[in-house]
Amino acid sequence: MHTFAVARAVHGIEPLVATEIRRSRLGVVRGVRHREVWFEAAPGADLTGLRTADDVLLAAAVVDGIGHGRSALRRLALAARSVDLGGLTGSGVEVSASFVGRRNYTRFEIEDAVGAELARPLRLPYHSRRDGARPPREAMSWRVTIEGDRALIALRLADRPLHRRAYKTDSIRGTLHPPVAAAMAALGRLGGAGTVLDPCCGAGTTLIEARALAPGARLLGFDHDPAALRAATANARADTRQAGVGGGAAFGWGVADGGRIPVAGGSVDRVLVNPPWGRQVPPRGLLARDLGPLWREVRRVLAGDGLAVALVHDGIPRGFALEEAVRVSLSGRHPVIAVLRKEGGPVRR
């Protein structure tokens, strides 16, 4: 027996989520929508291990004929009333809603219409998000999404969204969203990589996500900020402890300027990098004026057949050829995850 499940994702990496589902044999993909991958989960599959997904949900109802008018609220409420809630228990119900395009109703009206109907038969309180209210963490978490004329009502599978990684015990400003870091690692084709480098590692997210795909690699992270290195060290230690890893990948952290990376030329198989955007984290040191020194160093340390995967905002840096590009929506911007090889280097298939 298969279960209809939905993986939520950052917009742009939905195809990577679908690929992870297939490669991990977690289920059969049935469709891709805005920020969603719909799939039939394989019996007994542990869906909480999805790394490129923001969240994973169990579908309770799919509702067609959802228009832009306010009559849609009534239709959603009726659908929620018909959901099979057998066996569900909890301390309360909370709902988060979103939709694509303009509607003549708000997300809060959707949440209240659906939440009240879900909570009533369970005899549980419904916790609205209106006026900035925060539902209690232990409340049963439901989600409603609308795209076109089709709506989904679904229940979160885990006790918190998948993007809230347990290893993130420490953080800094501008830290990379873990599923995006996991997407970068997946695009990097890390199988067989001996050394993976992040010259602007921040809290270590990218390298920690990379370890899942390169368990035997040497993972090197450098950052200009000592506080970032302390966070990276703590997070890597937490991830190692939670995973019960006794060997395998080895982390190495150090304070260094992104314009002067302390490793030998041609010694790195993969570079994963999220350069400072200049919003939350301003460029410092040799990168204060521009990122040119960073890209020159990345090209220097990269092996001839190596790859760099970078989150870029201002086009492809000099000295590199583009192999693949994935545009994402992140923090109100639309950067590109670029898979790069050195100009003149071999094209990888």
Side-chain angles (χ1 to χ4, degrees), residues 173-174 223-225 275-285 287-288 291:
R173 288 172 60 86
D223 201 280
H224 194 276
D225 182 5
W277 293 19
R279 291 181 74 185
Q280 296 187 56
V281 181
R284 298 175 179 174
L287 308 186
L291 296 180

Side-chain angles (χ1 to χ4, degrees), residues 11-284:
H11 183 46
I13 68 172
E14 299 96 337
L16 296 176
V17 176
T19 297
E20 184 184 358
I21 290 168
R22 294 188 188 101
R23 287 181 176 173
S24 302
R25 299 182 179 179
L26 295 177
V28 178
V29 174
R30 294 305 186 193
V32 176
R33 306 206 313 168
H34 177 80
R35 296 199 61 195
E36 292 181 348
V37 178
W38 291 16
F39 65 105
E40 291 182 27
D46 179 12
L47 306 184
T48 62
L50 278 169
R51 301 195 77 93
T52 54
D54 273 16
D55 210 353
V56 63
L57 315 164
L58 297 180
V62 175
V63 193
D64 290 316
I66 300 298
H68 291 70
R70 296 183 61 79
S71 61
L73 298 173
R74 171 69 175 166
R75 192 170 184 84
L76 288 168
L78 289 173
R81 192 179 302 171
S82 67
V83 168
D84 182 5
L85 300 172
L88 294 179
T89 59
S91 59
V93 170
E94 62 101 354
V95 179
S96 178
S98 62
F99 50 81
V100 178
R102 293 187 175 184
R103 307 274 167 168
N104 293 327
Y105 41 84
T106 69
R107 57 166 288 194
F108 300 112
E109 290 177 303
I110 298 171
E111 292 166 359
D112 291 350
V114 171
E117 295 297 336
L118 292 173
R120 184 176 296 112
L122 294 172
R123 297 183 180 180
L124 295 174
Y126 163 62
H127 302 282
S128 177
R129 293 175 177 269
R130 285 182 181 270
D131 302 320
R134 285 191 174 186
R137 294 182 63 178
E138 63 273 12
M140 192 184 306
S141 184
W142 292 79
R143 183 151 194 114
V144 180
T145 61
I146 305 174
E147 182 178 349
D149 66 350
R150 174 168 288 182
L152 170 78
I153 300 175
L155 175 66
R156 174 175 293 139
L157 184 61
D159 59 356
R160 63 180 180 179
L162 298 189
H163 68 83
R164 294 182 185 170
R165 301 290 205 253
Y167 69 73
K168 272 292 188 83
T169 62
D170 212 335
S171 189
I172 59 170
R173 288 172 60 86
T175 188
L176 187 59
H177 190 58
V180 174
M184 292 174 64
L187 288 168
R189 309 168 214 169
L190 301 183
T195 301
V196 181
L197 166 73
D198 185 347
C200 305
C201 70
T205 308
T206 304
L207 290 179
I208 294 172
E209 294 296 327
R211 188 179 70 170
L213 299 178
R218 180 184 180 218
L219 305 171
L220 301 179
F222 298 101
D223 201 280
H224 194 276
D225 182 5
L229 271 301
R230 289 193 292 271
T233 302
N235 291 334
R237 187 181 301 118
D239 184 58
T240 300
R241 184 169 56 250
Q242 291 155 11
V245 178
F251 289 106
W253 309 104
V255 175
D257 194 301
R260 189 176 291 123
I261 303 171
V263 300
S267 64
V268 174
D269 300 298
R270 299 291 185 273
V271 173
L272 306 177
V273 60
N274 173 30
W277 293 19
R279 291 181 74 185
Q280 296 187 56
V281 181
R284 298 175 179 174

Side-chain angles (χ1 to χ4, degrees), residues 336-349:
V336 169
I337 302 175
V339 182
L340 308 168
R341 59 179 171 83
K342 294 197 289 188
E343 282 186 343
V347 178
R348 303 181 64 91
R349 299 295 183 187

